[in-house]
Amino acid sequence: KSNFVNSIDVNVLGIADGYFRDLDNRLVLASLETLQSLLDTKDVTYFAIQLSDPSKTDELLRDFEIFAHEKQVDLKATKWQDHPYGDLYHRTNVYLIYVRNFIATILLILSGLSVLAAFIKLVDERTREIGTTRAIGFHDSYIVMSFAAEAAMIALIATIVGTTTSLFASAIINYVAVPYYGVGLTEPIHFRVAIDLGVYGSTALCFIAISVIGAVVAMRSKIASSVVHNLTDAGA
């Protein structure tokens, strides 16, 4: 080690982009031998390894720690996201996750209230039908179940149409690759929509459940007065 910096002649092959302006001002890509000669050292701060199969990262880290311990070598392996250089990425990713969950929660609440209001209105409009059905001998549980099944079918069709539309719109957005010019970035980041079928499936089940619950709640609040309402209209 030394505190000297050498002056060497190199052949410039191209210009690299560090994406962030602060990093771009001091980024140099060169061979290990050239950089060691420039900084007058034989040491290596760290190695960055790109795996062909990122899913094996945890397995590699575990095996490397065992190997270093057995060889009594003072080496440490970590994911690049956990490295100080990956702190900005990590904090940005956490922030975006919070924003996504907040927006999804608000949309889910608003959608649930809309579905509940729609089925309450639907039951109000079919009060006479409910009363007539009860008057000819159908049990309340059967009427409630029939409305619940109808709500589930409507919700299923709506989620299929909505999911198909969403997937189609996501594919278009990903194909267009809308650029996003972030603060401090030297190059734009192309906006892409992640397609997670698990999220689509869980959201669809959630909406179907809300629809069924909304129909049942609306039915139970109206079914007690439906016969009286029907008989009053019939007598008139």
Side-chain angles (χ1 to χ4, degrees):
K1 290 183 178 180
S2 70
N3 294 324
F4 297 100
V5 177
N6 294 328
S7 176
I8 59 177
D9 292 329
V10 295
N11 294 324
V12 178
L13 301 179
I15 299 176
D17 189 354
Y19 289 102
F20 297 99
R21 291 192 179 96
D22 293 340
L23 179 61
D24 204 40
N25 293 331
R26 51 191 176 88
L27 176 66
V28 177
L29 297 179
S31 65
L32 177 61
E33 181 182 358
T34 300
L35 293 177
Q36 286 179 330
S37 176
L38 179 64
L39 299 176
D40 193 24
T41 181
K42 293 296 183 181
D43 295 338
V44 176
T45 305
Y46 65 87
F47 286 98
I49 302 174
Q50 182 178 3
L51 301 180
S52 58
D53 186 2
S55 63
K56 296 183 178 180
T57 301
D58 294 332
E59 179 182 353
L60 175 63
L61 293 177
R62 183 174 59 254
D63 294 342
F64 184 84
E65 290 180 358
I66 295 175
F67 173 80
H69 179 72
E70 292 177 350
K71 298 297 183 180
Q72 297 182 350
V73 180
D74 186 16
L75 292 176
K76 181 180 179 181
T78 182
K79 296 180 181 178
W80 72 269
Q81 294 94 333
D82 299 331
H83 192 273
Y85 288 165
D87 180 62
L88 178 61
Y89 167 84
H90 178 70
R91 288 188 285 112
T92 302
N93 197 39
V94 170
Y95 170 76
L96 292 177
I97 290 175
Y98 280 131
V99 172
R100 181 199 64 184
N101 293 341
F102 174 76
I103 295 176
T105 302
I106 296 299
L107 292 177
L108 186 60
I109 293 175
L110 293 177
S111 301
L113 293 176
S114 299
V115 170
L116 182 60
F119 277 102
I120 291 176
K121 186 175 185 300
L122 177 64
V123 172
D124 286 338
E125 293 176 350
R126 298 172 64 179
T127 302
R128 296 183 183 180
E129 176 186 340
I130 297 170
T132 303
T133 306
R134 292 187 65 200
I136 61 179
F138 286 95
H139 293 288
D140 294 348
S141 59
Y142 174 82
I143 301 174
V144 173
M145 289 300 297
S146 63
F147 270 80
E150 180 181 347
M153 184 60 64
I154 294 174
L156 179 61
I157 295 174
T159 52
I160 291 175
V161 174
T163 300
T164 304
T165 304
S166 178
L167 291 174
F168 182 72
S170 299
I172 293 178
I173 293 175
N174 292 339
Y175 177 78
V176 174
V178 180
Y180 166 71
Y181 296 89
V183 178
L185 300 180
T186 58
E187 294 291 334
I189 298 176
H190 295 293
F191 181 77
R192 297 183 61 84
V193 179
I195 299 176
D196 191 338
L197 297 181
V199 174
Y200 281 100
S202 59
T203 304
L205 292 177
C206 185
F207 278 124
I208 293 175
I210 291 175
S211 301
V212 173
I213 293 173
V216 172
V217 170
M219 278 295 302
R220 290 191 180 280
S221 64
K222 295 293 181 179
I223 201 169
S225 60
S226 58
V227 174
V228 177
H229 184 79
N230 180 261
L231 293 177
T232 302
D233 289 343

